[in-house]
Each structure stands twice: as structure tokens, then as C-alpha cells.
Amino acid sequence: MSRERDRLEDRLKRLQSDEEKRRMSEVDSQEQQRLVDRWIRSIGPVVGAKVENNTLMLTLGEGVGPMSGRRILVEFSVLGNVVSVRTDDGRELPPNFNHDTLMRLLSEFTGALSLTTAAAAWAATGLMATVFADGAEPAVKVLTNSDFLMWTKDQSLALVEFYAPWCGYCQAMAPAYEMAAEALKKDKIPLAKVDCTAEIQVCDDMGVEGYPTLKVVRNGAFAPYNGTRQEASIVDYMRRHSKPALQKIKPVHFDNFVDSGHIVVVGFVDDNEADLAALKSVAEESFDEYLFGYVSDKSVAKKFGVPYPGIAVFKDFDTRKDVFGFTRDADRLRRVVRSSSIPVLGELSVQTFGTYVRSGIPIGLLFYDGQEMRQRLQEEFLDLAIKYKHDVSLALVDARIYHKHAKALNLQSKWPAFAIQEPAKHLKYVFPHFRVLTAEKVGDFVGDFVSGKLEPNFKSQPIPAKSDAGVFDLVAKQFNEIVFDRNKDVLIEFYAPWCIYCKRMAKAYADLGETFRGNPNMVIAKMDGTANDIPSGDPGFQFPGFPTVVLVRAGDNAIIRYNGDRSLDSLIGFIKKHAVHSSTHEEPVVIEKASEAQQHVYIEAPKNALGYTPKETRHIEL
């Protein structure tokens, strides 16, 4: 007993020591930041800048205190983090000279600093900085609570970014956003940004739920930006939105037209309503993604090796051009255009994931953990990717970066690995880990998927032992059996063990289970959303965060989202209003089984529904 007490006392002393070290570290950091602030105030305007070998060299103006005419060398890691800051005579500056501090310094750029140099500086640092060159206006307009509405109402076409300075994704996108703004100046398409940590009212009014959020604005009306976060994509997207969905191309302008976008779809057809109907239909629905045009000159088709009538997809990657016979079938046209928009065995990343998802084609993910393995997979699987490009888009994924996405697909940490993902249906198909991953075996697996022979994989906890508790522990293996029993109303709370809001609601939800214990036609259930997949693609089960509560109503299986507070009375009131069997005590009933073809009904809740998780806690890996 004495030895156990001694061990506990030793552990307590260590914890107290660690706490004191942490507190002293915070004090030291505060003192260091004060040194940095004093140093920043002591320097003058930057009159020159140069980027060389991961080092940004800043030249200060003459006659501005002790740093007059000196050069500051800021060294970065390959990830854009500040490694060291020193003067040209080797004097080290305060060690916590960080991104925020550097942004304050960059904001002083004047005089000799060109926009080209500024772009290079952003690319080297990965920072978001407003840079003034030769007295010019900043490329990106900074909006505040006071001028947001007036400015956006005056813009015929513009793009606005809602960001937070601490957001890593915002910092990563910053150089591309700044350079896109500079490129779009000649098109008179302005780009703006709003700091949501400072301009809280604007961001709340705009319904910003995560960072960065980008919105296209036309005379005060907003629409989501559906492009990627790369400079070329932003520029291409905004230029497309300045033109009609389907443009008639004059032969003399043809070369310029096909070079004006990342992906350009051209119909070589006669100028009549029957031939243009399908092309126009697909152009209007895909306006966010591709540039569409048509030409009615057979000589142009001959020059580019396209049958007349025909379709060509011009792009700035892999095959450069895909050619198809003309079709008036809009669905077929849509499929060939979308499949051509995806690189053959391209790289899947946070920047490109949206493009793959919007294509509507299932994604075959090949995970690798090193460049040597990547090169081998690229060579071995290229022919397979070409063979199935219209059915499954094979893509390479770096498991070292996107290991969380691999885990979400139920992959083990053994590489290489392969899985097929259907984002639209929330389904995944995992290539067995015990099989050697070869192009031949993966080809058979993909072939079985295309033929409809594979069953999707679902992560699930074990089926729990029977319990008389008021709240039923639901797992993926029992989901469809329990949830879609048309004889019963089923209320489900999707929770996460770490979610503080779920913990606060736990007692009220347990009391709710006890309240309806005497009603066999009402199931009060909860499901750990981090340990179980939802084996249903129904939109009613797609939710933004934890906790989310939904009712699957008896009879028609309508899915109704709960939008009340976390009190017992509110939960009971919701059941009384929407459930078929809303009494606390009932006799069992049996409803005649409905046709399998009958679709579930989803009733959306307002944006302030319980399932909302504050943007500070949300994270999406891809």
C-alpha cells in the first residue's frame, strides 16, 4: 500500500513539474512576442524583395532607425513554415517570428517591390498578405461589416472568400487566390475576402459554416463557388461565368477559344435547334466546370480530326483531346464529357477531390506511401485506368497525407491499398488486404464492381447483447433492419464520443428512452457515428456534425430532422408532432409491408437544426 502511494505521489510531482514548465513556456512566449513587436516597430518600409533557395530577402529603406538599409533573411521549410529570421550580418531575431508577424512585415511592401516578386514571395511562404506595389491597389479587396453589402451590390460579377487567419486551408489557398485576382484584373472581375474572425456579422448573415468558403456574387445575389482552389481553376471558373453557357465559335477565333479554358467542350454540329438541344442542356448544367461552344464549319472539324457531326473535349492534361461521335442523347453526352474531364490515373488531393466527386463517376483510389511505390503503381495500372475511365476513375493517393481518408474507407495501414468509393451514394468497396495488389487482380475487382457483383463494405461495431435499456444501441450491421421497420417509429441520435454537445444531451436522451419504454412501436436509438458507417445513401442521413437526431416515421419511412433544443420536453414535443406512434404506452401493431420500390421521404430541417456543429470543430479530410 505504501509503495502504491509513493508511486502516486511521484506521478503527481511530475505532473506538477510539467504544468509549471508549460506555464513558464507560455510566459516566455509572451515575452518573446513582445520582443518581436518592438522589433517590427523599429523597422521601416520594405523597398525590395527577392526569393532564393527557400529564403525571402527583404531590403529596408534608408533612414528608418537602427535597421536602416539592412537586409532581413527569412528562411522557410518546404512546407512554408518559418525556420529562422536573421539580419544580413547573421544576427538572429526573436525565435517565434511567425506567419502573423511576417504578414505584418509584408504589408509594408512599397516602392521597388513588383507584383511578380510579390507572387514569388507568396508562393514561397504560403501566406495571405496584402501587398502594395508602386502605390497600386491590392489585388484582393478586403471587405468589412460596413462596406460588404454596398460593394457586393455594385458588382456585376465577383468572387468573395470568407476565411479565418488561423485556417491552414486558407493559408494554403492564399497565394493562388492573390495571383488569380491579379490575373482577373484585365477581365474586370474583382476578388474580395472577408476575415470571419473580425467581421462576424457578415459571416453569420452569409451562413458561413467552414473555412475557406467562396461565393460568386452578381449584383448582391450569391451562389456557391464550385471550382477548385488552384489559381488556374479560379481564373477559368470566373471567366466562364462572364460568358453564355454555350457559345457559337467563329472559325477565326477557334484556336483562342479552345485555349481559353482548362477543359473546353466543342460540338461540331449544324446550327439548328435539334442538334444543339442536348449540347445546350449539358452546357447549362455543367457551366461551373467546363467551357462549352460549337462550330458549324466542316473544315475546322477536318483540321482537328473530328467527325462531323462530332464532339471534342480539349484539355490541358494527359491526352489533350478526346474525340467522340455526335449524339443527341444528353445522358450519353454528359457521361463522355465528365469521364474526359478526369485525368487518366491522376493525383487525388484536397485540391482535386471536388472535381472527381462532381464527375459523378465512382473513384478507384490507389494508395501509396512513397515516390518509388507511386511510380511503380503508375506504370502498372495505367492501362487499367484507360480501360475503365468511363466507369471508374482510377487515381493515386498519398497515404502519408490522406491516411485519415484511407481509414474512413476501412483500409488498414498496409500499402499499397485499393478501394472504390461512390461519393454520391456514400458507398465503398474495399479490395481485400490479404490479396496481393496487382493490376490483373484489381482489374477483376473493378470488373466485378462494374458488373454489379460486389457488395459494399460498411464499418460497424459488433451487434450488442440484448438489453432492456430505454435507448437502443444501434450499429451499422443492424441499421436497415431496425431503422426501416415500417411497423415502428425510430428516433436516432448520431453522436461522437468526444462531442461535448452530445455529452450535454446524454441525460435528456436517456430520460427520453425511459419515457417511451412502454411503447413497443417506438424505438429510441443512438449510434456512434465515428465507429459505424450509415449503410444508406438517403440524403436524410447526410448531416454536418454531431449530434444529429432524426426520426424515421412508421408507415412511409419519412426521414424528419430534429431542430429543437437539447431538452427532454423539446424531444418529446417533436415525437408527439411527427411520429405515428407518439403515446408513451401502446400495444404492438403490424403495418402491411410496402413495395420495395417505394422511396423514402426526406423532410429538411432549418439551418439552425440540432445537427449543426460549430465551424471551429468541423474537419473534412479531402
Side-chain angles (χ1 to χ4, degrees), residues 169 229 347-357 363 365 367 395-398 401-406 408-409 421 423 619-622:
Y169 297 118
R229 298 170 187 170
E347 187 78 16
L348 195 70
S349 67
V350 66
Q351 289 83 14
T352 62
F353 186 66
T355 302
Y356 280 88
V357 171
I363 311 167
L365 300 98
F367 285 87
L396 295 159
V397 190
D398 192 336
I401 300 174
Y402 300 113
H403 54 89
K404 289 184 180 178
H405 193 69
L409 292 172
Q421 183 177 4
H619 175 76
I620 299 174
E621 180 65 20
L622 278 173

Side-chain angles (χ1 to χ4, degrees), residues 245-262:
L246 180 64
Q247 303 172 55
K248 184 173 183 178
I249 314 165
K250 294 181 179 180
V252 68
H253 297 146
F254 189 86
D255 288 346
N256 288 336
F257 184 82
V258 297
D259 289 337
S260 63
H262 178 56

Side-chain angles (χ1 to χ4, degrees), residues 151-348:
W151 187 87
T152 53
K153 285 180 180 178
D154 288 341
Q155 307 307 315
S156 58
L157 177 64
L159 182 65
V160 181
E161 176 201 9
F162 301 87
Y163 74 98
W166 49 257
C167 165
Y169 297 118
C170 304
Q171 293 171 9
M173 188 186 79
Y177 196 70
E178 295 278 353
M179 288 186 278
E182 188 63 34
L184 287 167
K185 278 186 175 180
K186 63 182 180 182
D187 300 280
K188 297 183 179 179
I189 303 174
L191 269 61
K193 62 183 179 182
V194 179
D195 180 352
C196 288
T197 65
E199 315 303 332
I200 298 172
Q201 187 61 52
V202 166
C203 297
D204 284 349
D205 291 345
M206 294 303 299
V208 176
E209 295 185 351
Y211 308 121
T213 292
L214 290 96
K215 293 180 181 287
V216 177
V217 58
R218 291 179 185 271
N219 303 118
F222 293 86
Y225 169 82
N226 292 319
T228 64
R229 298 170 187 170
Q230 298 153 315
E231 178 200 357
S233 177
I234 295 171
V235 172
D236 184 42
Y237 187 95
M238 296 308 293
R239 283 177 178 165
R240 275 201 313 275
H241 275 256
S242 67
K243 301 169 184 175
L246 180 64
Q247 303 172 55
K248 184 173 183 178
I249 314 165
K250 294 181 179 180
V252 68
H253 297 146
F254 189 86
D255 288 346
N256 288 336
F257 184 82
V258 297
D259 289 337
S260 63
H262 178 56
I263 299 170
V264 180
V265 182
V266 179
F268 295 82
V269 295
D270 292 334
D271 192 351
N272 63 69
E273 186 175 342
D275 285 343
L276 293 178
L279 192 60
K280 187 176 181 180
S281 172
V282 177
E284 288 176 344
E285 69 181 43
S286 305
F287 191 48
D288 285 348
E289 301 164 76
Y290 320 118
L291 185 61
F292 280 82
Y294 72 96
V295 62
S296 301
D297 191 315
K298 293 182 180 180
S299 64
V300 178
K302 184 177 181 181
K303 176 182 176 181
F304 286 90
V306 182
Y308 193 96
I311 298 289
V313 180
F314 297 87
K315 46 192 176 177
D316 57 7
F317 55 90
D318 58 47
T319 60
R320 302 290 171 175
K321 181 182 68 178
D322 290 337
V323 176
F324 307 95
F326 181 72
T327 176
R328 291 181 177 178
D329 184 337
D331 287 337
R332 182 166 176 267
L333 178 60
R334 187 180 299 110
R335 284 196 300 272
V336 298
V337 168
R338 290 194 177 280
S339 63
S340 292
S341 71
I342 303 298
V344 176
L345 204 56
E347 187 78 16
L348 195 70

Side-chain angles (χ1 to χ4, degrees), residues 14-30:
R14 287 197 302 272
L15 289 172
Q16 289 171 335
S17 176
D18 290 342
E19 176 63 21
E20 180 65 15
K21 288 177 182 177
R22 184 191 64 77
R23 190 183 67 80
M24 291 304 297
S25 175
E26 289 179 354
V27 172
D28 289 344
S29 295
Q30 292 169 2

